[in-house]
Amino acid sequence: MPQRIFLDRQKMLVDAIVDRLCAMIAPDVPLPDLGRVAVILPGMAARRAVQRRLAERFGAVLPPKLMMPSQLLRFGMPPGRLASAMESELLWTRAIGKALETPEKFDLLFPGRTVDLHRMPGKLFAQLREELTRGGISIAEAAPELGNRGSQLAELEKLFLAELAHLGFDDPLVLDRRAASEVEDLAQFDRIILAFVPDLPHMLKKKLENFSAAYAEKLEIWVHAPESEKDSFDEFGVPLAEVWAERALELDLDSIEIAVDDLDAAVKVRDFLVGQDDAFDPEQCAVALADPQLEGRFIDVLGQIGEATETPLLVSSSTGVPAGKLRMAQLGAALVEFLKNRDDFSAAQALLVERDFLAAHCATPGSENKILAALDEFCMTRYPDDFNAALQLMRELAPRDAASERLLPIFEEMAQLGRDVAGSARAADFLRTFFNRIFHREIDRNELSFGIALGDEIELFRRKLGEFDALAADLTDGVGQVAVIELFFHHFETEMLPVKRGDFVLEGMLEIPFFCAPRIALVGINEKNYPDRIAPTAFLTDSIRRKLRLRHNGDTFARAMCHLYSLLAPRRPGDVRLFVLKHSAQKEVLKPSPLFFSGALPEAELLARVHRFFGAVSARAVAGNAVADEKRFTFDWQSDNIRFFDAAPVLAVTAFKKYLASPVDFFFSSVLHADPNDYTLTEPDVRAFGTTCHAAFERLKELFCDSEEAFYRALEHNLANILRENYGETLPVLVKLQSDNLLQRFHYAAADLEQSRREGFVLIEAEYRFGGGTPIPLGEGFVKGTADRIEYCAARNTLRILDIKTGKIDSVVKEHYQSRKQQFINLQLPLYAILLRRDTEFARRHPEIDLATVKIECGYFLLPRAVTESRIEIWNPGDFDALLPDAEACAVRVIAEVKAMKEKIFFCDPERNSLPDPLKQIVPDLQQSLPKVVWRKVESEQNE
């Protein structure tokens, strides 16, 4: 057994490690020599921190050999000839091609007996074997745990290994096993020290076990914890998942700060680092981002610290910027989409508006706007779906239409791209020609994108393209050129480029115990980001990973918990701040990390944390927002909710309710996206609660149920699978509470479903998108929508459309129609019926149903908090049918009025239309804020 040494947790980890190293040196040695000591650290940031502290302590020292775990495993061995990730994916695709020669042997893996090899199906299998290799096992050895497909996966692995050997590549699993058994090269060290390495690969553990058996006195495990916690770690200092899962995180609530979104988080972190006296020292501060998507925003905001403190400051990443964020990778992705969808006009449009593609087609620098204006004009007046039809139309119109004449040469070139890629002998030749044509202009090396000079991007691209070109021709035989190009960009976007080092560095989360700065901001401590979640794959769920003793979500949880203890213990209260975000940069609702609710928390502490995380929160003011506010009040119709199709507006069925309540509120929220966020949630993640409920019902379509009990068991089964997929085997306490609440509702829902079945209704569509996703014409525009459930009763020739509601609803009629005023306040259910009558895609999918004669019922499937009120409530068919003509007339009127908004005509009284309170403070007077709007009162307002 190796010797475990427990370091003082009241010291920062780097200081504790350096103190221990110093104790190995005899006093008064002029040149301390640690050259025969190997220290294993988890990553590059940890290595830099230890090197720096040693230099500060000694000035001159023969340093120890600092290695990462991957370097220790194969220390002293020749590197071998290993396939790259791209080559491995190609080899697996070749193996699949061989497997399809005897499809009866692989019927469970490829049940259709046909696989499109042009789409590179080897990726999933490459990922499976790579993960198993890290765990020290082959697919064949894992087969018994991989279900009924296990034996066929093992046979496919044999074909892959044959392809690997045919091209002279080594099997990495064989190399790892050989490396684990050979420990003589490590004997040159007097001591090998594992310094708090939380992620120890399986084969490295084997090697260390073998080394310890031969040289027991030379191996030491250093753990940053008191010896009283020795039972929380295994013999190699790795935190034990089952122990840390039961441990509660001891944390002062003042150490937690809630941010509205990424911008608010960056501003609050900036204020935390600078402090009340504006004293900022980059040596005293560090920021760790759990979500790499936060990096761009933080670079922008933290870069402003230099302006505020007169301290020159360049914010940079610790490891580099992924090339996927760079301009060339973005251009490549647009090119691939166009090549894959050459008949799709929108794909060509997306390629054309790419920054560098557009610049390459400008006659003079700065004339991009002329091309964009021509494209907008062409799209607004003649928008076709088909690229070839658009090209033909341009050819016909070019002599007399300025927009078509300007666009025609560019689209002719795009058409030629399709012919070029088909006629190119090698994909690399096509890419080289294409990018040389795009970047034929002189490149300014200082033209930056995400902190990277464009010239550096081009050099990286050329180097990777050279490696791509050098791939063995056998690897791409039979694979389509577009698939090969897509493969290149998939792997190119994971390449890293170094960023110029600055005074302020953003680190990743893996090595936070090695931070030396006293003031630390940990950002994005949200579920799925921290602890980092290992997502289930096509073959490996979290439970299978546990059975195979692979790294699983319990391990990442234990590591994160252990790291926080290591980070918090040596620092003063208030010097570590954990930032939790309410919303992502994409405005998705985020959950707090399950770390905050783990273990046996006292009830008062649990309630205090719930209040902190799910209570109201406001964003920190951002300097210079006046410009942003000024830009907000413009007529910008680039909206997710309101888009145009054939120059006509497209509205979702749910958008009508907001318009009928207040056209002005509709304009600000749905068109300008100035809708205030709701931070007064009384339970965790209400939206996710409803989404989970919908998903459980949607999956009922895959199951047959013939009793109330069967319906409940099916819903229970679906819910368990959904929660397992999202949260793992052990549910966070608040998710478990929500799960129990849903199951109570499902008991009542099952009774309603069984009653509906007895009446003869059969579920035929779940989460059905009307028109198959294509908006359906209505009046001067189009309408889109999704129905939760559509059932059909053949005996009654009746279709029933149900919308699932988990909130409180008085009645289906009151939600839609005010009988006293005889006016609609919501059109959702009537529009479902109207759209279904006109839905050619639904008719194609269900030819047995005559939409002209079938009866249509609409209603709510109510699953409220008061579970005894759960029920299916159908709108009285007679009343519903009688109101449909008025509902359609109302919808046609709304569409026309929304269309008129583009001409700055609002059909409402500005003095009677109010906004939500947060917007009232910004827009106190509508007529002054929107001076160019023509206000027209509707008849209902004139009569009041």
Side-chain angles (χ1 to χ4, degrees):
M1 290 287 290
Q3 181 184 4
R4 289 192 303 176
I5 295 173
F6 293 87
L7 307 178
D8 185 357
R9 193 186 270 163
Q10 298 306 311
K11 292 182 180 179
M12 292 186 190
L13 177 57
V14 174
D15 291 329
I17 290 172
V18 173
D19 286 349
R20 190 80 190 185
L21 289 172
C22 290
M24 299 178 186
I25 302 170
D28 303 325
V29 175
L31 182 61
D33 185 0
L34 294 171
R36 293 179 62 83
V37 175
V39 181
I40 314 306
L41 298 162
M44 291 299 296
R47 288 181 60 180
R48 287 195 302 269
V50 172
Q51 284 174 331
R52 181 175 178 181
R53 274 290 195 265
L54 279 171
E56 291 172 352
R57 186 73 60 90
F58 291 105
V61 61
L62 293 176
K65 178 74 173 178
L66 302 180
M67 290 189 287
M68 289 183 287
S70 58
Q71 296 171 301
L72 181 65
L73 176 59
R74 295 184 185 169
F75 183 81
M77 286 184 59
R81 183 169 183 258
L82 295 174
S84 67
M86 187 185 303
E87 288 168 330
S88 179
E89 193 171 327
L90 286 163
L91 286 165
W92 275 103
T93 298
R94 286 168 59 87
I96 293 168
K98 294 289 179 64
L100 294 176
E101 294 174 4
T102 54
E104 66 280 358
K105 294 175 60 177
F106 298 92
D107 59 320
L108 296 177
L109 284 181
F110 313 113
R113 296 196 171 203
T114 57
V115 176
D116 186 359
L117 296 178
H118 292 277
R119 295 194 175 273
M120 302 301 300
K123 182 177 179 180
L124 288 175
F125 302 96
Q127 291 175 336
L128 170 64
R129 194 166 197 275
E130 181 183 356
E131 185 169 356
L132 291 176
T133 295
R134 287 197 298 269
I137 56 176
S138 66
I139 293 178
E141 292 164 336
E145 302 295 346
L146 295 177
N148 55 5
R149 296 177 298 182
S151 59
Q152 295 187 6
L153 284 167
E155 289 299 316
L156 186 62
E157 182 185 42
K158 291 180 182 178
L159 296 176
F160 163 74
L161 292 174
E163 294 294 329
L164 199 70
H166 173 69
L167 290 177
F169 290 113
D170 292 317
D171 183 353
L173 180 58
V174 172
L175 289 184
D176 285 353
R177 286 175 169 170
R178 187 188 310 153
S181 64
E182 297 177 1
V183 299
E184 288 75 15
D185 286 321
L186 296 181
Q188 62 183 273
F189 296 107
D190 293 338
R191 205 171 307 188
I192 294 178
I193 300 163
L194 257 68
F196 210 48
V197 179
D199 297 338
L200 209 56
H202 178 79
M203 296 313 298
L204 180 54
K205 274 191 176 183
K206 288 286 187 184
K207 188 181 186 81
L208 293 173
E209 288 171 356
N210 292 331
F211 180 76
S212 180
Y215 308 99
E217 73 287 353
K218 290 190 174 187
L219 181 60
E220 292 183 1
I221 310 299
W222 292 2
V223 183
H224 195 213
E227 191 167 1
S228 60
E229 296 182 12
K230 62 182 180 181
D231 293 336
S232 299
F233 302 88
D234 70 7
E235 67 270 27
F236 293 104
V238 176
L240 295 170
E242 61 274 15
V243 175
W244 288 90
E246 300 298 323
R247 191 164 180 174
L249 181 61
E250 299 168 8
L251 192 66
D252 187 342
L253 281 181
D254 290 337
S255 299
I256 302 169
E257 188 152 358
I258 313 300
V260 172
D261 52 23
D262 58 332
L263 174 59
D264 185 36
V267 173
K268 287 176 176 175
V269 168
R270 181 192 64 190
D271 294 349
F272 166 68
L273 297 178
V274 172
Q276 296 181 349
D277 56 358
D278 288 342
F280 172 74
D281 182 355
E283 294 291 328
Q284 301 295 304
C285 305
V287 178
L289 303 181
D291 183 358
Q293 295 186 10
L294 297 173
E295 188 170 287
R297 177 73 75 182
F298 270 72
I299 286 177
D300 292 340
V301 173
L302 296 187
Q304 300 169 8
I305 293 179
E307 301 172 10
T309 62
E310 299 182 356
T311 302
L313 184 66
L314 172 66
V315 183
S316 61
S317 164
S318 61
T319 55
V321 175
K325 296 181 180 178
L326 303 182
R327 287 159 55 175
M328 297 196 69
Q330 293 170 338
L331 174 58
L335 171 66
V336 167
E337 284 305 305
F338 172 68
L339 294 176
K340 287 169 61 178
N341 305 282
R342 290 201 293 273
D343 58 347
D344 186 346
F345 184 83
S346 62
Q349 186 179 5
L351 175 59
L352 176 57
V353 299
E354 268 297 319
R355 170 180 176 179
D356 292 300
F357 189 87
L358 185 62
H361 294 86
C362 293
T364 57
S367 60
E368 290 94 334
N369 287 339
K370 293 181 180 179
I371 296 178
L372 293 175
L375 183 65
D376 285 344
E377 182 180 344
F378 185 85
C379 292
M380 290 294 291
T381 56
R382 304 178 178 88
Y383 193 101
D385 290 329
D386 185 83
F387 172 76
N388 291 320
L391 180 59
Q392 184 60 38
L393 184 60
M394 285 180 191
R395 288 169 178 166
E396 296 171 2
L397 295 173
R400 59 184 185 278
D401 180 77
S404 300
E405 183 179 18
R406 187 179 292 275
L407 293 173
L408 180 58
I410 306 175
F411 278 78
E412 292 280 16
E413 182 182 321
M414 290 183 177
Q416 184 62 41
L417 285 176
R419 297 188 288 270
D420 288 346
V421 73
S424 179
R426 293 181 67 85
D429 295 334
F430 169 80
L431 289 175
R432 192 172 286 109
T433 302
F434 173 79
F435 276 87
N436 283 341
R437 187 162 61 243
I438 298 300
F439 293 104
H440 61 81
R441 58 194 171 87
E442 184 178 349
I443 302 300
D444 180 1
R445 291 186 60 84
N446 294 321
E447 191 176 354
L448 299 179
S449 175
F450 290 95
I452 301 294
L454 179 57
D456 292 342
E457 293 185 38
I458 293 174
E459 289 177 12
L460 171 67
F461 176 81
R462 287 174 175 163
R463 185 171 70 253
K464 299 309 297 181
L465 190 61
E467 296 172 7
F468 178 62
D469 201 13
L471 289 175
D474 288 356
L475 284 175
T476 55
D477 284 349
V479 180
Q481 293 286 57
V482 177
V484 176
I485 291 170
E486 184 176 20
L487 179 67
F488 168 75
F489 281 108
H490 170 71
H491 290 279
F492 171 69
E493 69 184 10
T494 62
E495 291 296 322
M496 308 292 282
L497 272 171
V499 182
K500 182 180 177 183
R501 185 64 54 198
D503 294 315
F504 199 101
V505 177
L506 300 175
E507 299 283 7
M509 299 296 287
L510 181 63
E511 299 163 278
I512 61 171
F514 291 86
F515 284 6
C516 299
R519 287 174 64 79
I520 306 292
L522 305 184
V523 190
I525 312 299
N526 290 87
E527 198 270 331
K528 293 186 181 180
N529 288 330
Y530 194 75
D532 50 316
R533 180 166 176 76
I534 304 174
T537 65
F539 304 108
L540 294 175
T541 63
D542 204 59
S543 59
I544 292 176
R545 287 190 174 95
R546 291 171 186 265
K547 291 178 182 178
L548 293 173
R549 297 189 177 182
L550 303 176
R551 185 155 187 78
H552 53 80
N553 285 309
D555 294 325
T556 61
F557 183 92
R559 180 187 67 197
M561 181 74 80
C562 180
H563 276 186
L564 284 179
Y565 270 92
S566 181
L567 190 74
L568 290 165
R571 289 173 170 84
R572 298 175 306 177
D575 279 350
V576 178
R577 191 72 57 87
L578 281 64
F579 291 84
V580 180
L581 276 65
K582 284 263 188 180
H583 294 83
S584 70
Q586 290 75 36
K587 306 306 178 188
E588 298 167 335
V589 177
L590 299 177
K591 310 177 186 71
S593 171
L595 290 166
F596 297 116
F597 303 103
S598 66
L601 282 169
E603 183 178 357
E605 177 67 15
L606 175 61
L607 293 175
R609 293 190 184 192
V610 170
H611 176 75
R612 185 61 172 267
F613 290 117
F614 302 105
V617 63
S618 58
R620 193 73 53 86
V622 181
N625 217 23
V627 176
D629 291 341
E630 181 181 341
K631 290 181 178 178
R632 178 175 294 174
F633 305 112
T634 61
F635 287 84
D636 178 10
W637 285 83
Q638 308 250 341
S639 167
D640 294 334
N641 296 329
I642 308 300
R643 65 183 182 89
F644 278 80
F645 187 78
D646 284 341
V650 180
L651 272 70
V653 293
T654 52
F656 289 83
K657 180 178 180 179
K658 179 160 282 191
Y659 184 90
L660 291 169
S662 169
V664 173
D665 188 12
F666 170 87
F667 174 74
F668 276 93
S669 61
S670 297
V671 178
L672 298 188
H673 291 298
D675 201 10
N677 290 313
D678 178 13
Y679 302 117
T680 60
L681 301 179
T682 56
E683 65 178 40
D685 203 357
V686 172
R687 296 180 189 177
F689 182 87
T691 301
T692 302
C693 180
H694 277 68
F697 274 87
E698 182 180 359
R699 296 187 186 188
L700 281 180
K701 192 178 178 184
E702 313 299 327
L703 303 170
F704 173 75
C705 304
D706 59 357
S707 68
E708 179 179 334
E709 177 67 15
F711 275 114
Y712 175 73
R713 293 302 172 199
L715 287 169
E716 182 184 41
H717 171 78
N718 292 346
L719 177 63
N721 286 340
I722 293 164
L723 295 179
R724 190 181 301 111
E725 292 165 7
N726 290 327
Y727 301 100
E729 294 293 329
T730 304
L731 299 181
V733 61
L734 295 181
V735 175
K736 184 67 171 65
L737 291 174
Q738 289 186 341
S739 170
D740 293 343
N741 188 297
L742 268 182
L743 288 175
Q744 292 179 42
R745 304 185 195 201
F746 286 171
H747 272 293
Y748 289 87
D752 293 325
L753 289 170
E754 171 60 13
Q755 179 61 34
S756 184
R757 187 190 70 82
R758 290 179 179 276
E759 293 174 9
F761 283 95
V762 177
L763 177 65
I764 60 173
E765 293 287 352
E767 296 296 322
Y768 175 71
R769 298 173 68 194
F770 290 99
T774 301
I776 294 177
L778 185 65
E780 298 181 52
F782 298 82
V783 180
K784 62 180 181 178
T786 301
D788 293 339
R789 292 174 62 84
I790 301 180
E791 301 173 346
Y792 179 60
C793 177
R796 293 166 49 183
N797 190 29
T798 300
L799 283 169
R800 177 177 286 176
I801 307 175
L802 295 177
D803 192 60
I804 298 172
K805 297 290 187 185
T806 55
K808 181 174 176 58
I809 301 292
D810 287 335
S811 75
V812 63
V813 177
K814 290 181 180 179
E815 279 293 304
H816 287 80
Y817 190 71
Q818 291 180 338
S819 55
R820 184 178 63 83
K821 296 183 179 180
Q822 293 188 335
Q823 66 183 27
F824 283 94
I825 57 174
N826 187 0
L827 292 172
Q828 184 177 9
L829 292 183
L831 281 173
Y832 282 167
I834 293 166
L835 294 180
L836 198 62
R837 292 281 189 200
R838 307 174 184 207
D839 193 338
T840 56
E841 173 61 18
F842 185 88
R844 184 191 67 77
R845 293 170 64 157
H846 300 282
E848 74 281 6
I849 300 175
D850 182 3
L851 289 179
T853 60
V854 72
K855 301 173 185 175
I856 299 179
E857 297 179 350
C858 289
Y860 283 157
F861 200 144
L862 297 172
L863 300 171
R865 183 186 295 274
V867 294
T868 56
E869 298 177 9
S870 299
R871 65 191 185 280
I872 293 177
E873 182 179 329
I874 304 299
W875 197 326
N876 182 286
D879 297 340
F880 182 72
D881 290 341
L883 286 172
L884 278 182
D886 291 341
E888 181 169 350
C890 181
V892 169
R893 173 181 65 81
V894 168
I895 292 172
E897 291 179 3
V898 169
K899 186 177 181 180
M901 277 186 173
K902 193 176 182 190
E903 306 302 323
K904 303 180 179 62
I905 299 173
F906 281 23
F907 285 84
C908 62
D909 185 346
E911 296 180 0
R912 298 176 65 89
N913 269 260
S914 62
L915 292 171
D917 287 337
L919 288 179
K920 280 182 181 177
Q921 299 171 12
I922 305 172
V923 191
D925 189 297
L926 287 174
Q927 289 176 303
Q928 290 183 12
S929 299
L930 300 171
K932 297 182 180 180
V933 165
V934 176
W935 302 91
R936 294 183 181 175
K937 296 181 181 179
V938 296
E939 183 177 349
S940 60
E941 291 178 330
Q942 292 173 345
N943 295 335
E944 290 181 4

